[in-house]
Amino acid sequence: MLLRIVHHTRYRYQTPVLLAQHLAHLRPLEWQGQQVLEHHLSVSPEPSQLQQGLDAFGNWRCFFALQSAHKTLDVGADSLVQTRPPAPLPDSPPWEAVCEGFRYHAGARYLPASEFLFASPYVPRDEAFAAFARPVFTPGRPLLEACEALCSKIHTDLKYETASTEVNTPALEALAQGKGVCQDFAHIMIGCLRSLGLAARYVSGYLLTQPPPGQPRLIGADASHAWVSVWCDGAWHDFDPTNDRCGSPSPGEDYVTLTLGRDFGDVSPLRGVIQGGGAHLLQVDVTVAPPGEYPDQDLVPPA
């Protein structure tokens, strides 16, 4: 599937920002599930310094600095990505056997996936997560089958509710209140898996959303999405508890993978430090659609 993703972020500051340094994760990954055909990043005002490269997890990141006073900041990313249909989940060993494979043994080879076993700033290891997952992680159950059941359990037992949490809401709090958004659902599933001794990572990206029948696609109406990747038998397999979908290497060809990390804190689309500015307003607009479905109009809202 050929998809175009336009991601626009605008900051409006109460008073001028004198100096600013920002880090952006806005270029989709190039990997077996997708190919990036085009990518363009624009920053206004023009930065005095801009550097691009890979971070510790293999994600594309862009550092830029602004050294002149400004009251607005616009960052736009326009990407054209070719995705591939995923394969069904393969057969897998019992989940206990996968856990055992992560145990330390003298002389054992280093397994990079083990970096995703441990607690991270947004996702602690906690008995509450393990207790939530145990009903589907029965003894001897194949790992990916159990993960699929956990994905469905989160989708069914928790309520998706916009604005029910903040970006920094702890995953345990979201689990306790029984509702959240895609970031919370992903953090909860990761917490469940890590608390059982399994490796899981956070995936940030985009999902094609269809307009109602007969209605035009609205520019900027979509949003970033988040799901989960689980390590098993030498490969990563993806699960989206928000939509109860799964597959290898992604939940579907209508998904675009942007970044991978331990949790949201590793892959925030845009963050930075500023001098000045006072209070600010933030506007984020995302559009995901086949290239031919974009109307003939400016995709980045006017200042």
Side-chain angles (χ1 to χ4, degrees):
M1 179 178 288
L2 186 62
L3 294 173
R4 183 182 178 191
I5 305 98
V6 177
H7 187 144
H8 175 247
T9 304
R10 168 172 291 153
Y11 284 95
R12 294 184 178 93
Y13 302 107
Q14 184 180 35
T15 60
V17 172
L18 303 179
L19 296 171
Q21 294 184 342
H22 294 276
L23 190 65
H25 286 98
L26 290 169
R27 179 187 176 115
L29 284 173
E30 188 92 30
W31 67 315
Q32 59 178 329
Q34 64 187 34
Q35 181 183 7
V36 179
L37 303 179
E38 296 179 20
H39 174 77
H40 177 68
L41 181 72
S42 61
V43 180
S44 179
E46 186 175 352
S48 59
Q49 181 182 1
L50 189 149
Q51 298 175 338
Q52 299 194 60
L54 299 178
D55 67 12
F57 301 105
N59 305 308
W60 281 101
R61 68 179 178 186
C62 176
F63 167 83
F64 61 91
L66 298 102
Q67 297 180 350
S68 58
H70 56 282
K71 291 193 69 174
T72 63
L73 171 65
D74 287 275
V75 180
D78 191 344
S79 305
L80 186 65
V81 179
Q82 180 73 57
T83 65
R84 300 178 181 86
L89 296 176
D91 294 334
S92 58
W95 68 271
E96 301 96 332
V98 178
C99 289
E100 183 62 29
F102 285 114
R103 291 184 182 275
Y104 174 77
H105 300 283
R109 66 181 180 88
Y110 169 69
L111 188 60
S114 61
E115 297 177 11
F116 299 94
L117 284 171
F118 307 104
S120 57
Y122 281 78
V123 185
R125 293 178 62 168
D126 193 276
E127 174 57 28
F129 288 134
F132 182 84
R134 282 196 187 99
V136 297
F137 275 78
T138 52
R141 191 172 194 180
L143 171 60
L144 297 182
E145 180 184 306
C147 289
E148 188 171 6
L150 176 61
C151 182
S152 296
K153 179 176 172 63
I154 294 172
H155 177 78
T156 301
D157 292 2
L158 276 64
K159 180 182 179 181
Y160 184 92
E161 186 174 309
T162 304
S164 59
T165 57
E166 303 289 341
V167 68
N168 58 350
T169 297
L172 283 170
E173 182 179 321
L175 177 62
Q177 71 179 20
K179 58 185 177 181
V181 295
C182 60
Q183 174 183 305
D184 304 299
F185 286 16
H187 281 160
I188 288 169
M189 185 167 181
I190 292 169
C192 291
L193 295 167
R194 291 180 186 168
S195 297
L196 293 174
L198 297 161
R201 63 188 184 184
Y202 184 94
V203 187
S204 175
Y206 307 100
L207 173 61
L208 171 66
T209 53
Q210 299 291 347
Q215 297 296 317
R217 185 179 300 278
L218 299 177
I219 295 299
D222 297 330
S224 299
H225 193 47
W227 59 98
V228 177
S229 203
V230 181
W231 176 263
C232 179
D233 263 6
W236 292 96
H237 310 275
D238 283 13
F239 298 83
D240 178 6
T242 302
N243 295 290
D244 196 15
R245 295 177 62 184
C246 57
S248 300
S250 74
E253 65 175 330
D254 48 349
Y255 287 70
V256 174
T257 299
L258 182 64
T259 46
L260 308 165
R262 297 168 301 167
D263 57 34
F264 173 78
D266 288 332
V267 296
S268 174
L270 184 63
R271 61 187 176 197
V273 292
I274 62 174
Q275 178 184 348
H280 70 269
L281 294 175
L282 170 64
Q283 177 185 348
V284 180
D285 298 298
V286 177
T287 303
V288 183
E293 293 188 18
Y294 280 82
D296 293 330
Q297 67 182 77
D298 291 335
L299 297 178
V300 176

